[in-house]
Amino acid sequence: TQIMSRGLPKQKPIEGVKQVIVVASGKGGVGKSTTAVNLALALAANDSSKAIGLLDVDVYGPSIPKMMNLKGNPELSQSNLMRPLLNYGIACMSMGFLIEETAPVVWRGLMVMSAIEKLLRQVDWGQLDYLIVDMPPGTGDVQLSVSQNIPISGAVIVSTPQDIALMDAHKGAEMFRKVHVPVLGLVQNMSVFQCPKCKHKTHIFGADGARKLARTLGLDVLGDIPLHLNIREASDTGQPIVFSQPESDEVSYISRYVFFF
Ligand code: ADP
């Protein structure tokens, strides 16, 4: 439809930001935030001259503060814009910095939209080469609103190989196509678990589902990440694996994304 087409007057770049990459998923819990964080770190590690930001618009369940080991209230600039918090060389902004960690937020539709507006327009990023946006899961108002408000260079869709996650990832890919956001490809996460003792490999969520979906949709597979304790522990302790264990096997899977930009 008209409203959804690219380059409408409503669509305005974020000041100072060259390229926006959104990381999306159909379902929650598939590793979208983990991917967003590690993608930001991999981009920074790949080329230290690039300035990278990470914006968490998953207002319902912001995980960037914990994963990036950040908390606190952003300072305001002279022009009353929020200054991102910085860790591991990445400028970060999240709803999690603006509300108490344990405060139950009962979001109404309008509140969600004003929170998104604030996160998109009231942050002083300085100059960024890439802004990685951690979207909420699904294909609802927030995803549409972000896609319609700012020009997006591309979307990365994360899915496990499980049927139900794939179905939702498929919907996600279709949504981005409708709003004319190029889908850069799929990341298959949690594809295989290798027992650390006997080395036996188990495909807990199925084997090649995301690969098959990518083929069906004519998309690239950007990465295929195993289910690994180190990845979970690294995320939970705020020491993302690309930063804390750059030599690990898991990181070689994750770092592959950067070659697509
Ligand atoms: P989402 O953003 O899709 O809700 P998260 O990135 O928050 O998902 O991941 C959900 C949980 O799974 C987190 O605890 C995270 O550390 C863990 N996790 C994600 N990917 C992996 C992986 N490949 N191996 C092990 N744990 C993972």
Side-chain angles (χ1 to χ4, degrees):
T1 67
Q2 272 301 309
I3 305 172
M4 288 180 178
S5 64
R6 227 177 171 204
L8 279 176
K10 201 180 157 202
Q11 215 180 34
K12 205 174 84 191
I14 300 177
E15 216 172 296
V17 175
K18 287 197 189 129
Q19 307 230 42
V20 175
I21 311 282
V22 299
V23 181
S25 71
K27 246 172 70 75
V30 298
K32 170 184 53 59
S33 300
T34 307
T35 302
V37 163
N38 284 294
L39 173 59
L41 285 161
L43 281 168
N46 191 47
D47 182 348
S48 58
S49 71
K50 299 276 190 257
I52 316 287
L54 184 58
L55 173 62
D56 180 6
V57 293
D58 191 350
V59 292
Y60 300 100
S63 7
I64 296 305
K66 189 158 191 233
M67 288 187 180
M68 290 296 285
N69 197 19
L70 283 169
K71 67 157 84 156
N73 290 319
E75 288 174 7
L76 292 181
S77 70
Q78 277 175 345
S79 44
N80 243 358
L81 298 175
M82 295 182 288
R83 290 223 167 91
L85 304 187
L86 197 73
N87 201 7
Y88 310 126
I90 311 288
C92 302
M93 182 50 66
S94 167
M95 202 61 215
F97 300 151
L98 312 178
I99 51 176
E100 288 287 323
E101 213 172 322
T102 49
V105 182
V106 187
W107 290 105
R108 289 182 189 277
L110 270 176
M111 281 166 61
V112 174
M113 286 307 146
S114 78
I116 298 294
E117 170 75 22
K118 202 177 170 93
L119 292 172
L120 290 180
R121 298 293 170 205
Q122 295 179 33
V123 181
D124 178 6
W125 292 104
Q127 299 293 317
L128 288 184
D129 293 289
Y130 292 104
L131 179 64
I132 308 299
V133 180
D134 185 10
M135 292 280 230
T139 50
D141 284 351
V142 173
Q143 292 81 353
L144 267 181
S145 162
V146 172
S147 313
Q148 290 170 348
N149 270 283
I150 54 171
I152 297 173
S153 303
V156 172
I157 298 179
V158 184
S159 182
T160 63
Q162 206 179 2
D163 282 350
I164 181 130
L166 288 167
M167 226 163 61
D168 291 348
H170 192 154
K171 281 186 212 157
E174 289 301 327
M175 184 204 77
F176 286 118
R177 279 194 180 154
K178 279 206 174 112
V179 294
H180 307 284
V181 170
V183 177
L184 300 172
L186 293 186
V187 171
Q188 176 162 272
N189 190 24
M190 309 185 183
S191 56
V192 64
F193 175 74
Q194 183 168 29
C195 170
K197 291 215 174 90
C198 72
K199 307 294 175 202
H200 179 74
K201 289 183 176 170
T202 312
H203 294 279
I204 293 178
F205 296 108
D208 275 327
R211 285 191 176 277
K212 286 189 193 127
L213 176 64
R215 219 173 297 137
T216 312
L217 298 176
L219 295 172
D220 287 321
V221 175
L222 303 181
D224 195 342
I225 305 163
L227 185 64
H228 199 289
L229 180 64
N230 290 355
I231 298 180
R232 204 274 304 149
E233 278 181 352
S235 282
D236 279 4
T237 54
Q239 304 264 319
I241 191 148
V242 166
F243 174 81
S244 59
Q245 299 165 51
E247 303 303 327
S248 72
D249 283 350
E250 293 74 57
V251 169
S252 71
Y253 293 99
I254 293 168
S255 300
R256 260 185 236 154
Y257 310 147
V258 297
F259 298 120
F260 286 85
F261 298 112

